[in-house]
Structures are given as C-alpha cells and as structure tokens.
Amino acid sequence: MAGRRPRQTATMSDVAALAGVSVSTVSHVLNRTRAVAPDTARLVHDAVVKCGYVPEKLSRQQREEFGTIGLAMSAISNPYFADVVHGLDRRATKEGYSLLLAETHDDGDAELRAVGELLRRKVSAIVLAPSGDASRTLSYARQADVPVTVIDRFVREEVDQIGVENIESTARLVDHLAETGHTRIAMISGRPGLATTEERIRGYKRGLERRGIPRRDDYLVAGDSQAAPAQQAVSRLLSLPKPPTALVVANNQMTIGTMRGLRTLGVRVPDDIALVAFDDFEWSDLFEPRLTAIAQPTLMIGEQAFELSLSRISQPDLPPRRVLIQPTFQHRDSCGCGSSQDRDSS
C-alpha cells in the first residue's frame, strides 16, 4: 500500500455517465431509496469501482476516531465464521472498536455491495472473507484508502491476509484413512472457485498420490459448501457400482449434510463407511461416533485479523503480510480406527 498517488475525486455524475444511467438512479442504488433492476444496479456498482467513487474519503486520523471495523463474509450463521466473528469482536471491544457486519452470500456482486455499504458507514478498516475473485472489491476499497485484511481464503493481490494451511492438512486426512486400510476414498468438496475449495482438493489428490492410490474422477463430488448439496453428493457416491469405503468432507456444513444423507440411507459410520472432515466444531465430539476432523483455530484467526487491521490503520505503509496458521488434527472415532481419548497434534 506504499507509494500511492493522490487520485482525482470521482463524483456521482462520473458514475452515472460511465454506467449510462441518471444521477438519481445512482443515488437510489447506493442509498437503497428505491428498487432498481438488478442488471442496472450491477452496472452502477461496476461503474463505482471503475471510477473509485466513495461518498467521502476519510483521513487516517478520522478512521481512527470512528473506531469501527467492517466485516464482510458469507454465511455468518456458519459456526466457523461465527467463531471468527467472536474472536474479532472480543479483541476489537478490548481496544475500544465496534464491529459492523455485512453478508456477502459468497457472491461477487453482493460482496461489492456489502463493502460499499461498509465504506459509506465510514469504517476504519475492513476484514473480508472473499468470494471467489475479489479483485473488484479490493480495488474499490483501495481507491477509498480503506485498509483490508483478507481472512480464510487467500488471494493473489498484495494485501494483508490470514488463514490456515489447507493442502497438507487435507492430505493428512487421506493419509489417515489409507493407514487404516482404505483405498476407495472419496471427497465431497466445497463451492467451485473458492481458494479453500481448490486447496483442499489439491490436498486430497496429494494424499492419494503419495499413498499410491489411483484417483477416480467419480470419487470427487462437489457439495457446494452447504448441507443439502452434500447430502445429494452422498447419494451419488453410494449409488456407484463400486462405492467408496471412506469419505473426506471439506467443511462443517457439508459434514452435517453428509451425516444426514448417510443416516437416511441407513449407512452406519464407521461400520459401513469411514468419515473424516475438514472443520471441527464445538459439538463434534457429541456425534455418535465422534468426528475425526481438522480443527481450525477460529478465535485466533479473528483476533489476529483485528491485530493486522489495527496495525495497518496506524502504519499504512507496512509491507503486505501473509499469516499461515497450522490447524490441528482431532483424532476421534468416525475414521473407524477408534481412540480412547482425543489426540491433538499440529
């Protein structure tokens, strides 16, 4: 973020001209004072980004005085993100900052609107869990001179970011299943286009390769990071002529759908099929059997995201930082090898 040149301030008229709409339409889109057709709203938001239009740019001192951190992410109801929010809010409160949340629905246009709303609320900094390609959103925030910290899903842009190691951690789940004798290991992966999805798929493939297990295309099924699609994925996998004997599920929401699907089909874990997952959650050890999973330090991610944001507000010329956290392996019972007690290791 060092070496930025002053930019000429864009106006609402500039946005209207670029989008090919009236100034009043731009106003209605940005202020939500009247319903506007989705295609028109998209044109306006694209023009806003290209122009770098922000109602009012704030100085560093003003951002510090407002003391608000904007958090833009998808599925705030997801236990993973809820814990991240808790960690961030706890640390922010301690420093006298408040937290403002915006839902992105893992959609690029919704993400852009959410960040635009946070900018109009004069946030001091933004913490963003990006949905796929976040280049438009990051460009918009950069033009507004508002610092952004990316969490969970790493991006190519030079920006502060923090998340967990996904590739080797997922490979470790495959290793564990292979060690117990499984060779027909399938994966239910997340939503295509997300960095975490691609990294965990790479980890799955790496684990198979180093164990000398042939990879089957029909054993890799997308669960779209949600419970219902994951339940459907289970049905597809178990209807194969040679169904898998073990499953790797790539996030907590899909784990819920997977277990629901297995129960509906009368398939027992781990007697009929072994199950391991990426994402642990507070009640994983209440399942029967208890869930073997990769656990992410969600509270730590939230707290460190705030620390990165706070230091960026006060020192905007710091070089971009990338923090990679190692998750832990929670060995329980759903993998089929059993354990007398939980074993945690990095």
Short mmCIF file of all heavy atoms in Angstrom, two decimals, residues 211-273:
data_model
loop_
_atom_site.label_atom_id
_atom_site.label_comp_id
_atom_site.label_asym_id
_atom_site.label_seq_id
_atom_site.Cartn_x
_atom_site.Cartn_y
_atom_site.Cartn_z
N ARG A 211 0.16 -42.07 -1.41
CA ARG A 211 -0.19 -43.41 -0.92
C ARG A 211 -0.32 -44.42 -2.05
O ARG A 211 -0.63 -45.60 -1.82
CB ARG A 211 -1.49 -43.35 -0.13
CG ARG A 211 -1.36 -42.66 1.20
CD ARG A 211 -0.57 -43.51 2.17
NE ARG A 211 -0.26 -42.80 3.41
CZ ARG A 211 0.27 -43.38 4.48
NH1 ARG A 211 0.54 -44.67 4.45
NH2 ARG A 211 0.54 -42.68 5.56
N GLY A 212 -0.10 -43.95 -3.29
CA GLY A 212 -0.18 -44.85 -4.44
C GLY A 212 -1.58 -45.32 -4.75
O GLY A 212 -1.76 -46.39 -5.34
N ILE A 213 -2.58 -44.51 -4.38
CA ILE A 213 -3.97 -44.87 -4.64
C ILE A 213 -4.43 -44.20 -5.93
O ILE A 213 -4.36 -42.98 -6.05
CB ILE A 213 -4.88 -44.42 -3.47
CG1 ILE A 213 -4.43 -45.10 -2.17
CG2 ILE A 213 -6.34 -44.74 -3.77
CD1 ILE A 213 -5.17 -44.60 -0.94
N PRO A 214 -4.89 -44.96 -6.91
CA PRO A 214 -5.35 -44.35 -8.18
C PRO A 214 -6.50 -43.38 -7.92
O PRO A 214 -7.40 -43.65 -7.12
CB PRO A 214 -5.82 -45.56 -9.00
CG PRO A 214 -5.12 -46.74 -8.40
CD PRO A 214 -4.99 -46.43 -6.94
N ARG A 215 -6.46 -42.25 -8.60
CA ARG A 215 -7.51 -41.24 -8.44
C ARG A 215 -8.66 -41.53 -9.40
O ARG A 215 -8.44 -41.79 -10.57
CB ARG A 215 -6.93 -39.84 -8.70
CG ARG A 215 -7.86 -38.74 -8.29
CD ARG A 215 -7.16 -37.39 -8.30
NE ARG A 215 -6.92 -36.89 -9.64
CZ ARG A 215 -5.72 -36.56 -10.12
NH1 ARG A 215 -4.64 -36.69 -9.38
NH2 ARG A 215 -5.59 -36.10 -11.34
N ARG A 216 -9.88 -41.48 -8.89
CA ARG A 216 -11.07 -41.70 -9.70
C ARG A 216 -11.88 -40.41 -9.76
O ARG A 216 -12.20 -39.82 -8.73
CB ARG A 216 -11.93 -42.81 -9.08
CG ARG A 216 -11.30 -44.18 -9.10
CD ARG A 216 -12.20 -45.22 -8.48
NE ARG A 216 -13.59 -45.15 -8.95
CZ ARG A 216 -14.48 -46.11 -8.82
NH1 ARG A 216 -14.13 -47.25 -8.24
NH2 ARG A 216 -15.71 -45.96 -9.25
N ASP A 217 -12.19 -39.98 -10.97
CA ASP A 217 -12.94 -38.74 -11.13
C ASP A 217 -14.31 -38.80 -10.46
O ASP A 217 -14.81 -37.79 -9.95
CB ASP A 217 -13.11 -38.41 -12.63
CG ASP A 217 -11.79 -38.03 -13.29
OD1 ASP A 217 -10.85 -37.66 -12.55
OD2 ASP A 217 -11.71 -38.11 -14.52
N ASP A 218 -14.93 -39.99 -10.47
CA ASP A 218 -16.28 -40.10 -9.90
C ASP A 218 -16.27 -40.11 -8.38
O ASP A 218 -17.33 -40.10 -7.75
CB ASP A 218 -17.02 -41.32 -10.45
CG ASP A 218 -16.27 -42.62 -10.24
OD1 ASP A 218 -15.12 -42.59 -9.75
OD2 ASP A 218 -16.83 -43.70 -10.57
N TYR A 219 -15.08 -40.13 -7.79
CA TYR A 219 -14.98 -40.08 -6.33
C TYR A 219 -14.80 -38.65 -5.82
O TYR A 219 -14.70 -38.45 -4.60
CB TYR A 219 -13.81 -40.93 -5.85
CG TYR A 219 -14.13 -42.40 -5.65
CD1 TYR A 219 -15.32 -42.95 -6.13
CD2 TYR A 219 -13.24 -43.24 -4.98
CE1 TYR A 219 -15.60 -44.29 -5.96
CE2 TYR A 219 -13.52 -44.58 -4.79
CZ TYR A 219 -14.70 -45.11 -5.29
OH TYR A 219 -14.99 -46.44 -5.11
N LEU A 220 -14.73 -37.69 -6.71
CA LEU A 220 -14.61 -36.29 -6.31
C LEU A 220 -15.89 -35.57 -6.71
O LEU A 220 -16.14 -35.32 -7.89
CB LEU A 220 -13.40 -35.63 -6.99
CG LEU A 220 -13.16 -34.15 -6.69
CD1 LEU A 220 -12.99 -33.90 -5.20
CD2 LEU A 220 -11.94 -33.65 -7.46
N VAL A 221 -16.73 -35.25 -5.72
CA VAL A 221 -18.05 -34.70 -5.98
C VAL A 221 -18.21 -33.38 -5.23
O VAL A 221 -17.85 -33.28 -4.05
CB VAL A 221 -19.17 -35.69 -5.53
CG1 VAL A 221 -20.54 -35.12 -5.84
CG2 VAL A 221 -18.97 -37.03 -6.21
N ALA A 222 -18.73 -32.36 -5.91
CA ALA A 222 -18.91 -31.04 -5.29
C ALA A 222 -20.13 -31.04 -4.39
O ALA A 222 -21.21 -31.50 -4.77
CB ALA A 222 -19.06 -29.96 -6.36
N GLY A 223 -19.95 -30.50 -3.18
CA GLY A 223 -21.06 -30.33 -2.25
C GLY A 223 -21.44 -28.89 -2.05
O GLY A 223 -22.31 -28.58 -1.23
N ASP A 224 -20.79 -27.99 -2.80
CA ASP A 224 -21.15 -26.56 -2.83
C ASP A 224 -21.07 -25.89 -1.46
O ASP A 224 -21.70 -24.86 -1.23
CB ASP A 224 -22.54 -26.37 -3.43
CG ASP A 224 -22.73 -24.96 -4.00
OD1 ASP A 224 -21.77 -24.42 -4.57
OD2 ASP A 224 -23.82 -24.40 -3.85
N SER A 225 -20.31 -26.46 -0.54
CA SER A 225 -20.07 -25.89 0.79
C SER A 225 -21.33 -25.80 1.66
O SER A 225 -21.32 -25.13 2.70
CB SER A 225 -19.44 -24.48 0.68
OG SER A 225 -18.21 -24.53 0.01
N GLN A 226 -22.40 -26.49 1.26
CA GLN A 226 -23.66 -26.43 2.00
C GLN A 226 -24.16 -27.84 2.33
O GLN A 226 -23.76 -28.82 1.70
CB GLN A 226 -24.72 -25.67 1.20
CG GLN A 226 -24.37 -24.24 0.90
CD GLN A 226 -24.27 -23.39 2.16
OE1 GLN A 226 -25.06 -23.56 3.10
NE2 GLN A 226 -23.32 -22.47 2.19
N ALA A 227 -25.06 -27.92 3.30
CA ALA A 227 -25.53 -29.22 3.78
C ALA A 227 -26.34 -29.98 2.73
O ALA A 227 -26.11 -31.17 2.49
CB ALA A 227 -26.34 -29.04 5.06
N ALA A 228 -27.33 -29.31 2.11
CA ALA A 228 -28.22 -30.02 1.18
C ALA A 228 -27.49 -30.59 -0.03
O ALA A 228 -27.69 -31.76 -0.37
CB ALA A 228 -29.36 -29.09 0.74
N PRO A 229 -26.63 -29.82 -0.72
CA PRO A 229 -25.88 -30.40 -1.84
C PRO A 229 -24.97 -31.54 -1.40
O PRO A 229 -24.76 -32.50 -2.15
CB PRO A 229 -25.08 -29.22 -2.39
CG PRO A 229 -25.83 -28.00 -1.96
CD PRO A 229 -26.40 -28.36 -0.62
N ALA A 230 -24.42 -31.45 -0.19
CA ALA A 230 -23.57 -32.53 0.30
C ALA A 230 -24.38 -33.80 0.51
O ALA A 230 -23.90 -34.91 0.22
CB ALA A 230 -22.89 -32.11 1.60
N GLN A 231 -25.60 -33.66 1.00
CA GLN A 231 -26.45 -34.83 1.17
C GLN A 231 -26.74 -35.48 -0.17
O GLN A 231 -26.73 -36.72 -0.28
CB GLN A 231 -27.77 -34.41 1.85
CG GLN A 231 -28.68 -35.59 2.15
CD GLN A 231 -29.89 -35.18 2.98
OE1 GLN A 231 -29.96 -34.07 3.50
NE2 GLN A 231 -30.86 -36.08 3.11
N GLN A 232 -26.96 -34.69 -1.20
CA GLN A 232 -27.16 -35.23 -2.55
C GLN A 232 -25.90 -35.90 -3.07
O GLN A 232 -25.95 -36.94 -3.74
CB GLN A 232 -27.60 -34.11 -3.49
CG GLN A 232 -28.94 -33.49 -3.13
CD GLN A 232 -29.22 -32.21 -3.88
OE1 GLN A 232 -28.43 -31.78 -4.72
NE2 GLN A 232 -30.33 -31.56 -3.57
N ALA A 233 -24.73 -35.31 -2.74
CA ALA A 233 -23.46 -35.89 -3.17
C ALA A 233 -23.26 -37.28 -2.58
O ALA A 233 -22.74 -38.19 -3.24
CB ALA A 233 -22.31 -34.97 -2.78
N VAL A 234 -23.67 -37.46 -1.32
CA VAL A 234 -23.57 -38.77 -0.68
C VAL A 234 -24.37 -39.81 -1.46
O VAL A 234 -23.89 -40.92 -1.71
CB VAL A 234 -24.07 -38.70 0.78
CG1 VAL A 234 -24.25 -40.10 1.35
CG2 VAL A 234 -23.11 -37.91 1.63
N SER A 235 -25.56 -39.45 -1.86
CA SER A 235 -26.40 -40.38 -2.61
C SER A 235 -25.74 -40.78 -3.92
O SER A 235 -25.77 -41.96 -4.32
CB SER A 235 -27.77 -39.76 -2.88
OG SER A 235 -28.47 -39.52 -1.67
N ARG A 236 -25.14 -39.80 -4.61
CA ARG A 236 -24.47 -40.11 -5.88
C ARG A 236 -23.28 -41.05 -5.66
O ARG A 236 -23.08 -42.01 -6.41
CB ARG A 236 -24.00 -38.82 -6.56
CG ARG A 236 -25.14 -37.95 -7.07
CD ARG A 236 -24.66 -36.96 -8.11
NE ARG A 236 -23.66 -36.04 -7.59
CZ ARG A 236 -23.96 -34.90 -6.96
NH1 ARG A 236 -25.23 -34.58 -6.75
NH2 ARG A 236 -23.01 -34.10 -6.54
N LEU A 237 -22.50 -40.78 -4.63
CA LEU A 237 -21.32 -41.60 -4.38
C LEU A 237 -21.70 -43.03 -4.01
O LEU A 237 -21.09 -44.00 -4.48
CB LEU A 237 -20.49 -40.98 -3.26
CG LEU A 237 -19.70 -39.72 -3.63
CD1 LEU A 237 -19.14 -39.05 -2.37
CD2 LEU A 237 -18.56 -40.05 -4.59
N LEU A 238 -22.71 -43.19 -3.19
CA LEU A 238 -23.08 -44.52 -2.73
C LEU A 238 -23.88 -45.31 -3.76
O LEU A 238 -24.10 -46.52 -3.58
CB LEU A 238 -23.84 -44.44 -1.41
CG LEU A 238 -23.03 -43.89 -0.23
CD1 LEU A 238 -23.82 -44.00 1.06
CD2 LEU A 238 -21.70 -44.59 -0.10
N SER A 239 -24.30 -44.65 -4.82
CA SER A 239 -25.00 -45.36 -5.90
C SER A 239 -24.04 -45.85 -6.99
O SER A 239 -24.46 -46.51 -7.95
CB SER A 239 -26.06 -44.46 -6.53
OG SER A 239 -25.44 -43.35 -7.20
N LEU A 240 -22.76 -45.55 -6.84
CA LEU A 240 -21.77 -46.01 -7.82
C LEU A 240 -21.63 -47.53 -7.76
O LEU A 240 -21.86 -48.15 -6.72
CB LEU A 240 -20.41 -45.37 -7.54
CG LEU A 240 -20.31 -43.85 -7.75
CD1 LEU A 240 -18.97 -43.33 -7.24
CD2 LEU A 240 -20.47 -43.51 -9.23
N PRO A 241 -21.24 -48.16 -8.89
CA PRO A 241 -21.04 -49.62 -8.88
C PRO A 241 -20.03 -50.08 -7.82
O PRO A 241 -20.20 -51.12 -7.19
CB PRO A 241 -20.51 -49.90 -10.30
CG PRO A 241 -21.06 -48.78 -11.13
CD PRO A 241 -21.06 -47.59 -10.23
N LYS A 242 -18.99 -49.27 -7.64
CA LYS A 242 -18.03 -49.52 -6.57
C LYS A 242 -18.00 -48.29 -5.67
O LYS A 242 -17.19 -47.39 -5.85
CB LYS A 242 -16.63 -49.80 -7.12
CG LYS A 242 -16.42 -51.21 -7.61
CD LYS A 242 -14.95 -51.48 -7.84
CE LYS A 242 -14.72 -52.95 -8.18
NZ LYS A 242 -13.27 -53.24 -8.36
N PRO A 243 -18.89 -48.21 -4.71
CA PRO A 243 -18.95 -47.02 -3.86
C PRO A 243 -17.72 -46.91 -2.97
O PRO A 243 -17.07 -47.92 -2.68
CB PRO A 243 -20.22 -47.23 -3.04
CG PRO A 243 -20.40 -48.71 -3.01
CD PRO A 243 -19.90 -49.21 -4.34
N PRO A 244 -17.41 -45.72 -2.53
CA PRO A 244 -16.25 -45.55 -1.64
C PRO A 244 -16.50 -46.19 -0.28
O PRO A 244 -17.64 -46.36 0.15
CB PRO A 244 -16.12 -44.03 -1.52
CG PRO A 244 -17.50 -43.51 -1.79
CD PRO A 244 -18.08 -44.44 -2.82
N THR A 245 -15.41 -46.53 0.38
CA THR A 245 -15.50 -47.06 1.75
C THR A 245 -15.13 -45.99 2.78
O THR A 245 -15.22 -46.24 3.98
CB THR A 245 -14.56 -48.26 1.92
OG1 THR A 245 -13.20 -47.83 1.69
CG2 THR A 245 -14.92 -49.38 0.95
N ALA A 246 -14.69 -44.81 2.27
CA ALA A 246 -14.31 -43.73 3.19
C ALA A 246 -14.58 -42.39 2.51
O ALA A 246 -14.47 -42.27 1.29
CB ALA A 246 -12.83 -43.84 3.56
N LEU A 247 -14.93 -41.41 3.33
CA LEU A 247 -15.25 -40.07 2.82
C LEU A 247 -14.41 -39.01 3.51
O LEU A 247 -14.25 -39.03 4.73
CB LEU A 247 -16.73 -39.75 3.06
CG LEU A 247 -17.80 -40.54 2.31
CD1 LEU A 247 -19.18 -40.10 2.77
CD2 LEU A 247 -17.65 -40.32 0.80
N VAL A 248 -13.92 -38.06 2.70
CA VAL A 248 -13.31 -36.84 3.21
C VAL A 248 -14.28 -35.71 2.87
O VAL A 248 -14.60 -35.50 1.69
CB VAL A 248 -11.94 -36.56 2.55
CG1 VAL A 248 -11.37 -35.24 3.05
CG2 VAL A 248 -10.98 -37.70 2.84
N VAL A 249 -14.75 -34.99 3.87
CA VAL A 249 -15.71 -33.91 3.65
C VAL A 249 -15.02 -32.58 3.96
O VAL A 249 -14.37 -32.43 4.99
CB VAL A 249 -16.97 -34.08 4.52
CG1 VAL A 249 -18.02 -33.04 4.16
CG2 VAL A 249 -17.53 -35.49 4.36
N ALA A 250 -15.20 -31.61 3.06
CA ALA A 250 -14.32 -30.44 3.07
C ALA A 250 -14.75 -29.25 3.90
O ALA A 250 -14.04 -28.26 3.94
CB ALA A 250 -14.05 -29.99 1.62
N ASN A 251 -15.91 -29.29 4.55
CA ASN A 251 -16.20 -28.24 5.56
C ASN A 251 -17.32 -28.70 6.49
O ASN A 251 -17.95 -29.75 6.27
CB ASN A 251 -16.51 -26.88 4.89
CG ASN A 251 -17.95 -26.71 4.46
OD1 ASN A 251 -18.73 -27.66 4.41
ND2 ASN A 251 -18.33 -25.50 4.12
N ASN A 252 -17.58 -27.91 7.51
CA ASN A 252 -18.50 -28.36 8.55
C ASN A 252 -19.96 -28.44 8.09
O ASN A 252 -20.69 -29.35 8.47
CB ASN A 252 -18.39 -27.47 9.80
CG ASN A 252 -18.60 -25.99 9.50
OD1 ASN A 252 -19.04 -25.61 8.42
ND2 ASN A 252 -18.28 -25.15 10.47
N GLN A 253 -20.39 -27.47 7.27
CA GLN A 253 -21.77 -27.50 6.78
C GLN A 253 -22.02 -28.76 5.95
O GLN A 253 -23.07 -29.40 6.07
CB GLN A 253 -22.06 -26.26 5.94
CG GLN A 253 -22.02 -24.94 6.70
CD GLN A 253 -23.19 -24.80 7.65
OE1 GLN A 253 -23.13 -25.23 8.81
NE2 GLN A 253 -24.26 -24.21 7.19
N MET A 254 -21.06 -29.12 5.11
CA MET A 254 -21.21 -30.33 4.30
C MET A 254 -21.14 -31.59 5.15
O MET A 254 -21.75 -32.60 4.79
CB MET A 254 -20.16 -30.35 3.19
CG MET A 254 -20.35 -29.26 2.15
SD MET A 254 -19.28 -29.43 0.71
CE MET A 254 -17.65 -29.24 1.44
N THR A 255 -20.40 -31.54 6.24
CA THR A 255 -20.37 -32.69 7.14
C THR A 255 -21.75 -32.98 7.70
O THR A 255 -22.18 -34.14 7.80
CB THR A 255 -19.37 -32.44 8.29
OG1 THR A 255 -18.06 -32.26 7.74
CG2 THR A 255 -19.35 -33.61 9.25
N ILE A 256 -22.47 -31.94 8.05
CA ILE A 256 -23.84 -32.11 8.56
C ILE A 256 -24.72 -32.76 7.50
O ILE A 256 -25.46 -33.72 7.78
CB ILE A 256 -24.41 -30.75 9.00
CG1 ILE A 256 -23.64 -30.21 10.20
CG2 ILE A 256 -25.90 -30.87 9.33
CD1 ILE A 256 -23.97 -28.78 10.56
N GLY A 257 -24.64 -32.26 6.27
CA GLY A 257 -25.42 -32.85 5.18
C GLY A 257 -25.01 -34.28 4.89
O GLY A 257 -25.86 -35.14 4.60
N THR A 258 -23.72 -34.55 4.96
CA THR A 258 -23.22 -35.89 4.71
C THR A 258 -23.76 -36.88 5.73
O THR A 258 -24.24 -37.97 5.39
CB THR A 258 -21.68 -35.90 4.74
OG1 THR A 258 -21.18 -35.08 3.68
CG2 THR A 258 -21.13 -37.30 4.57
N MET A 259 -23.70 -36.52 6.99
CA MET A 259 -24.18 -37.42 8.04
C MET A 259 -25.69 -37.63 7.94
O MET A 259 -26.19 -38.74 8.18
CB MET A 259 -23.78 -36.87 9.40
CG MET A 259 -22.27 -36.81 9.59
SD MET A 259 -21.77 -36.39 11.25
CE MET A 259 -22.09 -37.92 12.10
N ARG A 260 -26.39 -36.57 7.56
CA ARG A 260 -27.83 -36.71 7.36
C ARG A 260 -28.12 -37.67 6.21
O ARG A 260 -29.01 -38.52 6.29
CB ARG A 260 -28.45 -35.34 7.09
CG ARG A 260 -29.97 -35.35 6.97
CD ARG A 260 -30.49 -33.95 6.74
NE ARG A 260 -30.18 -33.07 7.87
CZ ARG A 260 -29.64 -31.85 7.76
NH1 ARG A 260 -29.35 -31.36 6.57
NH2 ARG A 260 -29.41 -31.13 8.83
N GLY A 261 -27.34 -37.54 5.12
CA GLY A 261 -27.53 -38.42 3.97
C GLY A 261 -27.22 -39.87 4.30
O GLY A 261 -27.95 -40.78 3.89
N LEU A 262 -26.14 -40.10 5.04
CA LEU A 262 -25.79 -41.46 5.42
C LEU A 262 -26.86 -42.08 6.30
O LEU A 262 -27.23 -43.24 6.14
CB LEU A 262 -24.43 -41.47 6.13
CG LEU A 262 -23.22 -41.09 5.27
CD1 LEU A 262 -21.97 -40.95 6.13
CD2 LEU A 262 -23.00 -42.11 4.16
N ARG A 263 -27.38 -41.28 7.23
CA ARG A 263 -28.42 -41.80 8.12
C ARG A 263 -29.68 -42.15 7.34
O ARG A 263 -30.32 -43.18 7.59
CB ARG A 263 -28.72 -40.78 9.21
CG ARG A 263 -29.83 -41.21 10.16
CD ARG A 263 -29.99 -40.22 11.29
NE ARG A 263 -28.81 -40.15 12.13
CZ ARG A 263 -28.67 -39.35 13.18
NH1 ARG A 263 -29.67 -38.55 13.53
NH2 ARG A 263 -27.57 -39.35 13.90
N THR A 264 -30.04 -41.28 6.39
CA THR A 264 -31.23 -41.54 5.56
C THR A 264 -31.10 -42.84 4.79
O THR A 264 -32.07 -43.59 4.62
CB THR A 264 -31.45 -40.37 4.59
OG1 THR A 264 -31.66 -39.17 5.33
CG2 THR A 264 -32.66 -40.62 3.69
N LEU A 265 -29.89 -43.12 4.32
CA LEU A 265 -29.65 -44.35 3.55
C LEU A 265 -29.40 -45.56 4.43
O LEU A 265 -29.21 -46.67 3.91
CB LEU A 265 -28.44 -44.12 2.63
CG LEU A 265 -28.62 -43.08 1.52
CD1 LEU A 265 -27.30 -42.78 0.84
CD2 LEU A 265 -29.66 -43.54 0.50
N GLY A 266 -29.38 -45.37 5.73
CA GLY A 266 -29.15 -46.50 6.63
C GLY A 266 -27.70 -46.96 6.66
O GLY A 266 -27.42 -48.11 7.01
N VAL A 267 -26.78 -46.05 6.30
CA VAL A 267 -25.36 -46.39 6.27
C VAL A 267 -24.73 -45.95 7.59
O VAL A 267 -24.86 -44.79 8.00
CB VAL A 267 -24.65 -45.69 5.09
CG1 VAL A 267 -23.16 -45.97 5.11
CG2 VAL A 267 -25.26 -46.14 3.77
N ARG A 268 -24.06 -46.87 8.27
CA ARG A 268 -23.51 -46.59 9.59
C ARG A 268 -22.05 -46.14 9.51
O ARG A 268 -21.27 -46.68 8.72
CB ARG A 268 -23.60 -47.84 10.46
CG ARG A 268 -25.03 -48.33 10.72
CD ARG A 268 -25.00 -49.72 11.33
NE ARG A 268 -24.32 -50.67 10.43
CZ ARG A 268 -23.94 -51.89 10.80
NH1 ARG A 268 -24.17 -52.32 12.03
NH2 ARG A 268 -23.32 -52.69 9.93
N VAL A 269 -21.72 -45.13 10.31
CA VAL A 269 -20.34 -44.64 10.45
C VAL A 269 -19.83 -45.09 11.82
O VAL A 269 -20.50 -44.87 12.84
CB VAL A 269 -20.32 -43.10 10.36
CG1 VAL A 269 -18.90 -42.58 10.56
CG2 VAL A 269 -20.88 -42.62 9.03
N PRO A 270 -18.67 -45.73 11.88
CA PRO A 270 -17.76 -46.09 10.80
C PRO A 270 -17.92 -47.52 10.33
O PRO A 270 -17.09 -47.99 9.54
CB PRO A 270 -16.39 -45.90 11.45
CG PRO A 270 -16.62 -46.36 12.85
CD PRO A 270 -18.03 -45.94 13.20
N ASP A 271 -18.95 -48.25 10.79
CA ASP A 271 -19.07 -49.67 10.47
C ASP A 271 -19.17 -49.91 8.98
O ASP A 271 -18.54 -50.84 8.44
CB ASP A 271 -20.31 -50.26 11.16
CG ASP A 271 -20.21 -50.19 12.67
OD1 ASP A 271 -19.07 -50.06 13.18
OD2 ASP A 271 -21.25 -50.23 13.35
N ASP A 272 -19.97 -49.09 8.27
CA ASP A 272 -20.17 -49.27 6.83
C ASP A 272 -19.28 -48.34 6.01
O ASP A 272 -18.92 -48.68 4.88
CB ASP A 272 -21.64 -49.02 6.47
CG ASP A 272 -22.58 -49.95 7.20
OD1 ASP A 272 -22.21 -51.13 7.39
OD2 ASP A 272 -23.67 -49.50 7.61
N ILE A 273 -18.97 -47.18 6.55
CA ILE A 273 -18.14 -46.21 5.83
C ILE A 273 -17.42 -45.32 6.84
O ILE A 273 -17.99 -44.95 7.88
CB ILE A 273 -19.00 -45.35 4.87
CG1 ILE A 273 -18.12 -44.57 3.89
CG2 ILE A 273 -19.94 -44.42 5.62
CD1 ILE A 273 -18.91 -43.98 2.72
#
